[in-house]
Amino acid sequence: MFVFFILLLFAFFLAAGVAGLCLAVNAKDCAVRFEQRQLRAHARGDLSPPDRIATAFGVRVAGGLMALVAFGLTFAALSAAFTG
């Protein structure tokens, strides 16, 4: 039962790591989407300043940190499985 739990954690953290890498690598597309959203807002007449909460750099950093933490936890699950 313990090995099954460790393998389940391994699969979950590996999937989270791959998702984080996809998010970090896809930052250019995210920046284009943020810009398009702001242009649509201006077309509707919303002249407020642009949202700077989520920038392309912020998305890339968040994705990289998510991948780093997930792969670190994957390594922890593997080391727990192999040490018993």
Side-chain angles (χ1 to χ4, degrees):
M1 183 67 178
F2 178 71
V3 174
F4 176 72
F5 181 69
I6 294 296
L7 289 177
L8 184 68
L9 284 177
F10 172 72
F12 175 73
F13 292 139
L14 188 63
V18 170
L21 283 178
C22 289
L23 185 67
V25 171
N26 200 13
K28 181 182 176 203
D29 186 43
C30 290
V32 170
R33 288 176 191 260
F34 289 143
E35 181 180 316
Q36 288 173 349
R37 184 180 68 185
Q38 192 62 36
L39 288 176
R40 282 194 306 269
H42 281 296
R44 285 192 315 260
D46 181 14
L47 299 177
S48 63
D51 274 340
R52 292 297 174 192
I53 294 171
T55 62
F57 180 74
V59 169
R60 181 172 285 168
V61 169
L65 286 175
M66 184 172 133
L68 188 65
V69 167
F71 286 135
L73 291 174
T74 301
F75 178 72
L78 279 177
S79 65
F82 286 128
T83 58

